[in-house]
Amino acid sequence: MVDVLPLVEARLRTALGEPDARAAVTFLGTDRIEVLRFQEGDIVRYATLGMSAQPMSDPTSALADPVKGPRAELILSVRGGLADTDKVLRPLAVLAASPQVEGVIVAPGASLDVGEPLWPGAPFSSVLVAEPGGLAEDLDLDVPLDPVRFLPLLPMTANEAAWKRVHGAQALQERWLTNGTDLRDPSRRSVPLD
């Protein structure tokens, strides 16, 4: 069995540069999840490392397939210096561990909620999982392993998350685009939803 994490870290370094910090979190009964921090100008990116070690499996399956199934890591981008966003490390690790803990498959269009602010004073407790490919290309692995996808996370206010449940991810993203919403602003207000 190939250890995918060194390959994943190499892809992250190629796409985002050298991390300037890293932290590890281990939850009972799960593999260790690391969060790497990358700084590029005024943008800070937090990327998980460890979620892709095992494939995500269908929660309705009786047995998890140890080889086949989607693999992913999460990337959150915010403007630095405007909030204490380094406190997002634990919530990000919680989201990255959710496939192991809750048996969910994290895919574009999904909402993930940590039940508390992503960092102190944050108006967000949930994120929208966006389409991969913008920051880091998928990492192809040897057959029969699925590629590792690098999924951007877009913070959502409680109102946006509720609106998304009714109208869908695409409609929310269009609303953000129409209003010129800066999704990297760690203290932004909810987009107008009426």
Side-chain angles (χ1 to χ4, degrees):
M1 184 64 75
V2 65
D3 183 3
V4 303
L5 295 185
L7 303 173
V8 170
E9 184 168 355
R11 176 57 54 93
L12 286 169
R13 287 173 184 266
T14 299
L16 305 176
E18 285 298 311
D20 67 351
R22 65 193 308 146
V25 180
T26 305
F27 302 102
L28 187 63
T30 67
D31 295 330
R32 172 178 144 134
I33 303 285
E34 287 190 83
V35 179
L36 283 59
R37 185 180 70 189
F38 300 87
Q39 192 107 27
E40 182 184 330
D42 69 335
I43 302 298
V44 181
R45 300 189 202 286
Y46 300 94
T48 63
L49 180 63
M51 181 177 171
S52 62
Q54 304 293 325
M56 293 180 271
S57 58
D58 184 342
T60 61
S61 298
L63 291 172
D65 189 323
V67 177
K68 295 191 70 61
R71 294 173 187 260
E73 295 291 353
L74 308 174
I75 301 176
L76 174 70
S77 301
V78 293
R79 293 202 183 286
L82 302 176
D84 191 7
T85 56
D86 279 351
K87 296 284 195 306
V88 78
L89 301 177
R90 184 169 178 75
L92 263 184
V94 167
L95 296 177
S98 63
Q100 288 182 57
V101 174
E102 299 171 25
V104 297
I105 294 180
V106 176
S111 299
L112 303 174
D113 195 316
V114 293
E116 61 185 35
L118 292 175
W119 51 82
F124 323 104
S125 66
S126 62
V127 294
L128 174 66
V129 181
E131 291 292 333
L135 292 171
E137 291 181 25
D138 290 355
L139 172 64
D140 290 325
L141 302 172
D142 294 337
V143 175
L145 303 179
D146 287 21
V148 176
R149 303 172 84 199
F150 297 91
L151 303 172
L153 300 179
L154 308 174
M156 293 188 292
T157 65
N159 287 344
E160 290 169 340
W163 197 84
K164 182 253 176 196
R165 281 192 293 277
V166 174
H167 300 281
Q170 185 65 38
L172 178 58
Q173 288 178 306
E174 287 169 11
R175 183 69 57 129
W176 282 335
L177 195 58
T178 302
N179 286 277
T181 305
D182 180 3
L183 296 173
R184 296 175 179 167
D185 180 350
S187 56
R188 72 173 179 83
R189 297 191 185 282
S190 182
V191 70
L193 298 170
D194 43 350

